[in-house]
């Protein structure tokens, strides 16, 4: 059984750790708020792009584009797929990293055919390398600093492989923070975009739709817009994952703080009991010594 000094030392250690977890909780809450503001500030632009592309395809459903095709196949009839996986650079975020990593492994095993792995985040890089998976490219310093420039860079790397015919499909795996409690791993197809995703053109009551002209041409316009839309998808996924990471870290640090408070309460009770026992023992020893001295003096006077 630990003595009072050991219990006191452990209480001091837990208190110091609690200061760290409290600071991490506050930092994560600040970063979460800033990330949400950044996403809200840029989302209208990409929403407008998607709306414009939807209108174009509704007007001209026969438009052809490499980004709207079904892709090619390998000699054995299998699709070549690229997977962009968004994880964190740091741990201490509960099951945030494990959930998305397990989902990617499940998808890779479920889909036949060759694949390439692109990873955002140091945790994901170490995980897949540890399990023997080849990583085509790792995007450093992106998980903790999601910006539109980094999203465009990632999109350019993936789409270059796609245009070269090295990839037939591009998927992104990220974590979507549905609310302050729930975060769900998402697996989304980036390219090629399916035409069925867009609503068919709605005609006016008189039977006429809108009249549009495209310069220099509809295909050129679509080929220019879709890479920006894909970059917007990636940026949104980066920020959503970053928000989910910070929220998961807040929940983990909050749980750590509650556990620390429970441990401190138990240790305080144990320390006080042990301290009270020691005080009682000292009082008993002093009382016993005083009685012994008194009896000794009485015996001496009786002999005299």
């Amino acid at each position: 059984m630990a003595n009072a000094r050991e219990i006191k030392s452990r209480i001091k250690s837990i208190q110091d750790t609690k200061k760290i977890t409290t600071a991490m909780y506050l930092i994560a809450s600040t970063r979460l708020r800033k990330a949400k503001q950044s996403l809200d500030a840029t989302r209208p632009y990409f929403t407008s792009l998607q709306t414009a592309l939807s209108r174009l395809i509704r007007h001209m459903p026969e438009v052809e584009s490499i980004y709207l095709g079904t892709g090619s196949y390998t000699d054995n009839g299998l699709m070549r797929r690229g997977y962009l996986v968004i994880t964190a650079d740091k741990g201490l975020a509960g099951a945030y990293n494990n959930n998305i990593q397990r989902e990617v492994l499940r998808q890779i095993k479920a889909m036949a055919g060759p694949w390439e792995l692109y990873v955002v985040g140091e945790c994901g890089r170490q995980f897949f390398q540890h399990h023997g998976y080849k990583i085509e490219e790792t995007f450093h310093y992106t998980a903790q600093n999601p910006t539109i420039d980094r999203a465009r860079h990632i999109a350019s790397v993936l789409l270059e492989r796609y245009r070269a015919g090295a990839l037939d499909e591009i998927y992104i795996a990220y974590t979507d923070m549905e609310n302050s409690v729930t975060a769900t791993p998402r697996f989304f197809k980036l390219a090629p975009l399916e035409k069925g995703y867009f609503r068919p053109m709605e005609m006016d009551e008189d039977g006429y739709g809108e009249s549009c002209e495209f310069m220099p041409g509809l295909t050129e316009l679509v080929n220019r817009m879709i890479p920006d839309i894909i970059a917007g998808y990636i940026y949104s996924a980066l920020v959503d994952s970053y928000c989910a990471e910070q929220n998961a870290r807040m929940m983990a640090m909050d749980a750590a703080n509650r556990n620390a408070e429970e441990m401190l309460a138990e240790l305080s009770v144990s320390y006080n009991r042990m301290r009270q026992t020691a005080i009682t023992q000292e009082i008993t020893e002093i009382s016993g010594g005083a009685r012994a001295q008194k009896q000794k003096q009485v015996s001496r006077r009786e002999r005299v």
Side-chain angles (χ1 to χ4, degrees):
M1 184 176 178
N3 55 35
R5 180 176 296 179
E6 291 176 347
I7 293 177
K8 190 173 182 179
S9 176
R10 190 176 179 188
I11 290 175
K12 180 64 168 54
S13 177
I14 294 175
Q15 288 174 340
D16 292 340
T17 303
K18 187 173 181 291
K19 292 178 182 178
I20 297 175
T21 57
T22 301
M24 292 181 66
Y25 176 89
L26 296 175
I27 293 172
S29 63
T30 302
R31 290 177 175 175
L32 175 61
R33 184 172 60 255
K34 290 182 177 179
K36 286 183 176 180
Q37 292 174 353
S38 177
L39 183 62
D40 293 338
T42 56
R43 180 170 286 168
Y45 169 71
F46 295 105
T47 301
S48 298
L49 277 181
Q50 295 176 38
T51 302
L53 180 63
S54 177
R55 291 181 60 194
L56 291 176
I57 295 179
R58 290 203 310 269
H59 279 86
M60 303 290 290
E62 70 277 4
V63 62
E64 296 294 336
S65 171
I66 184 176
Y67 303 113
L68 295 173
T70 56
S72 58
Y73 293 84
T74 58
D75 295 336
N76 56 5
L78 298 176
M79 301 291 289
R80 296 178 290 253
R81 296 181 173 90
Y83 300 101
L84 174 63
V85 185
I86 301 176
T87 63
D89 285 331
K90 302 176 182 179
L92 298 178
Y96 167 78
N97 290 300
N98 290 334
N99 289 340
I100 191 64
Q101 287 163 178
R102 286 199 300 266
E103 176 64 18
V104 172
L105 291 182
R106 187 183 69 82
Q107 293 289 345
I108 289 177
K109 294 176 181 178
M111 295 184 179
W115 50 267
E116 293 180 359
L117 200 57
Y118 300 83
V119 179
V120 173
E122 185 65 18
C123 291
R125 184 189 69 81
Q126 294 182 7
F127 174 83
F128 289 110
Q129 285 188 345
H130 176 73
H131 286 78
Y133 289 88
K134 179 185 176 181
I135 299 176
E136 190 71 22
E137 187 168 349
T138 302
F139 301 99
H140 298 285
Y141 312 115
T142 301
Q144 293 299 314
N145 186 24
T147 62
I148 186 58
D149 290 333
R150 296 181 186 274
R152 286 196 174 105
H153 171 66
I154 295 173
S156 65
V157 171
L158 293 173
L159 292 178
E160 183 178 356
R161 296 284 294 168
Y162 178 78
R163 288 189 295 265
L167 295 176
D168 299 313
E169 293 180 341
I170 301 174
Y171 292 86
I172 184 171
Y174 69 101
T175 304
D176 181 24
M177 192 182 74
E178 297 181 359
N179 51 55
S180 59
V181 178
T182 306
T184 306
R186 300 293 186 189
F187 202 75
F188 180 74
K189 185 178 180 181
L190 285 176
L193 296 177
E194 301 292 340
K195 291 184 180 180
Y197 172 76
F198 304 96
R199 294 187 299 108
M201 183 181 63
E202 296 179 359
M203 304 296 290
D204 297 334
E205 293 181 0
D206 55 3
Y208 293 95
E210 298 176 347
S211 177
C212 299
E213 294 183 3
F214 307 103
M215 297 295 292
L218 180 58
T219 299
E220 291 79 2
L221 184 60
V222 170
N223 287 341
R224 182 64 181 269
M225 291 179 62
I226 291 182
D228 286 338
I229 293 176
I230 292 176
Y233 285 152
I234 294 176
Y235 176 68
S236 178
L238 287 172
V239 177
D240 280 343
S241 296
Y242 185 68
C243 291
E245 175 194 350
Q246 301 306 321
N247 187 68
R249 185 166 289 115
M250 287 175 56
M251 294 176 64
M253 294 303 101
D254 184 59
N257 287 336
R258 291 198 301 270
N259 292 336
E261 291 173 357
E262 293 177 0
M263 294 176 65
L264 287 174
E266 294 176 358
L267 289 173
S268 296
V269 171
S270 299
Y271 177 76
N272 291 332
R273 286 177 178 174
M274 188 169 293
R275 185 168 174 271
Q276 186 64 41
T277 301
I279 292 173
T280 303
Q281 183 176 354
E282 290 179 2
I283 293 175
T284 302
E285 291 175 353
I286 293 172
S287 300
R291 285 196 299 270
Q293 290 294 329
K294 185 176 182 179
Q295 291 177 357
K296 184 177 180 181
Q297 292 176 1
V298 171
S299 299
R300 185 180 300 173
R301 284 197 297 267
E302 289 176 352
R303 286 197 301 270
V304 173

